[in-house]
Amino acid sequence: MKKILTKISDTKYAIAAAVTVAAMSAESAMAAGTTIGGTADNVGKQIGQIGKMTIAGMFLLGIVAIGAGLSKLKQAAETQGQQVKYSEGMWRIGIGAALVAIPAFSGMLSESIGLGSVTMTDKGGQTF
C-alpha cells in the first residue's frame, strides 16, 4: 500500500519532467525556425521515403522468392518429382515475379494519378 501511495505522490514530478521536455523541444523547434507547416512537410517527405523503402524491400524479396523457386524446381528435377512437387517451385517463381513487378506498377500508377513522374529506360531501370 505504501508503494502505491509513493507512486501517486511522485506523479507530479513525472508530469513536471514531461512538460519540461516538451517545452524544450518546442523551444528548439522555434529556434530552428520551423513551423507547423514545415513539420508537416518533413513528415510527408519521411512517409514518402518509407514507401520507397517498402517497394525496394518487395523487389528484393521477389528476387529471393524467384531464387527459392528455381532451387525447388532443380530439387524436383533431381528427385523426379517424388519428394518435391514442381508446383512448389512454380508458385514461388510466380510470387517472386509479382513482387519484382510491383515497383514498375506502382510507378505507372503514381504517374497516372499525377503524384510524380516515372522514367523507364530500355535497360529495365526506372526512377520514381
Side-chain angles (χ1 to χ4, degrees):
M1 184 73 173
K2 187 173 183 177
K3 288 182 181 181
I4 294 173
L5 292 174
T6 305
K7 286 184 180 182
I8 291 172
S9 66
D10 289 342
T11 304
K12 60 185 172 191
Y13 298 119
I15 292 172
V19 168
T20 303
V21 170
M24 290 174 66
S25 297
E27 190 175 311
S28 65
M30 293 286 239
T34 59
T35 61
I36 293 175
T39 303
D41 288 340
N42 288 338
V43 169
K45 289 176 186 176
Q46 290 174 359
I47 289 174
Q49 296 299 325
I50 291 171
K52 288 180 181 180
M53 184 182 70
T54 303
I55 288 175
M58 288 180 185
F59 182 80
L60 293 175
L61 187 62
I63 290 174
V64 169
I66 289 172
L70 291 173
S71 174
K72 283 289 183 182
L73 284 177
K74 181 178 181 259
Q75 191 178 17
E78 289 174 351
T79 61
Q80 298 299 321
Q82 295 172 356
Q83 295 174 350
V84 179
K85 297 179 183 178
Y86 286 103
S87 63
E88 289 180 21
M90 294 304 291
W91 276 108
R92 290 178 185 180
I93 289 175
I95 290 171
L99 286 172
V100 167
I102 285 175
F105 178 73
S106 68
M108 288 184 279
L109 185 64
S110 68
E111 178 62 26
S112 298
I113 296 173
L115 298 176
S117 63
V118 176
T119 305
M120 292 195 171
T121 65
D122 58 345
K123 296 182 171 105
Q126 66 266 359
T127 59
F128 299 122

